[in-house]
Amino acid sequence: MVIEESPVLEVEGLVVRRGRFRLQIRRLELFQGEILAVVGPNGSGKTTLLMSLGLLLKPEEGRVKLCGKLTSGLATPLELRRKVVMVFQKPLLLNGTVLENVSLGLRLRGIRGKRSDEQARVALEKLGIAHLKRRHVKDLSGGEAQRVSLARALAVEPEVLLLDEPFSSLDPPSKDRLLEDLDRLLHATGTTAIMTTHDRLDAMSICDKVAVMCEGEILQMGPTSEVVHRPLHPFVGEFLDLRKTKERLTSLLASKG
């Protein structure tokens, strides 16, 4: 007998309103260990989608299932809400040390003392910042602060990790190093993740699937190579045309001598 794997995250007929903006997602499924990039222009609904999946916005219609259980937006039981962790574009760190910040999610889940310190230490080591554990967060660089934010999220071992343009404020070398580390960690732990980004190259680098959004809807979603090479909508082909991106970069470099 073949047992079919159930999606870790399942969305059907989701409608969310924020002022005049309307998000409408007909269907979205993610299985254990899959990494999805959600790309699209500014205002396309990427962050609204992420906040809805993170149970931070209440849907007007539709359903979201997490680990096979139906959620109900803001009224979702705490145990189920804790299976999803969201990392924002700007690190939201509390006044205190790096270790205190990384331990926060663990303490909120009732994990304290030596066990909390050990899990936090492991997360810091995985992101290469264990040496910063006693440093105050106000003394961190942008890249270090984002690593602390990621370490805090990974320390609680979430079922689903939501990343809202986590590299947009980093310089290219810091972003490249963090992308490599995140790619390694997500695949090593089998964590299901969704990352929004306006950088198409970021999406191609670590994600198994890509979803292209425009005006509150997903125009196409599927394996990255399939969506890139066989776009089903003119906007998808135009937006993911990496050849034009490379041509613009080559032209820019040439103009600077």
Side-chain angles (χ1 to χ4, degrees), residues 35-119:
I35 304 172
L36 170 69
V38 180
V39 301
N42 291 336
S44 60
K46 301 187 298 294
T47 297
T48 298
L49 172 60
L50 223 60
M51 293 181 69
S52 301
L53 300 180
L55 311 179
L56 299 175
L57 293 175
K58 187 174 182 178
E60 186 176 283
E61 299 177 23
R63 66 176 190 172
V64 177
K65 291 180 72 175
L66 179 62
C67 301
K69 296 182 179 180
L70 190 65
T71 71
S72 54
L74 302 180
T76 302
L78 185 59
E79 181 181 354
L80 195 58
R81 289 172 61 85
R82 285 177 171 173
K83 292 181 181 293
V84 183
V85 175
M86 186 166 177
V87 175
F88 294 90
Q89 181 176 347
K90 293 183 179 180
L92 300 178
L93 302 179
L94 300 180
N95 186 35
T97 67
V98 166
L99 183 61
E100 289 169 342
N101 271 270
V102 176
S103 301
L104 177 62
L106 296 166
R107 295 198 303 271
L108 291 174
R109 288 160 172 76
I111 302 173
R112 302 179 183 278
K114 292 183 179 180
R115 184 183 171 193
S116 172
D117 289 345
E118 177 62 18
Q119 285 188 225

Side-chain angles (χ1 to χ4, degrees), residues 202-247:
D202 287 354
M204 304 302 115
S205 63
I206 69 171
C207 296
D208 312 301
K209 291 183 174 181
V210 63
V212 182
M213 291 193 70
C214 184
E215 297 182 349
E217 295 187 34
I218 293 178
L219 299 183
Q220 186 175 351
M221 173 177 164
T224 302
S225 60
E226 178 182 307
V227 176
V228 170
H229 297 297
R230 290 190 292 278
L232 301 178
H233 189 284
F235 176 83
V236 174
E238 178 69 21
F239 190 81
L240 291 180
D241 192 342
L242 301 182
R243 176 180 55 81
K244 289 185 178 180
T245 300
K246 292 179 180 178
E247 288 177 354

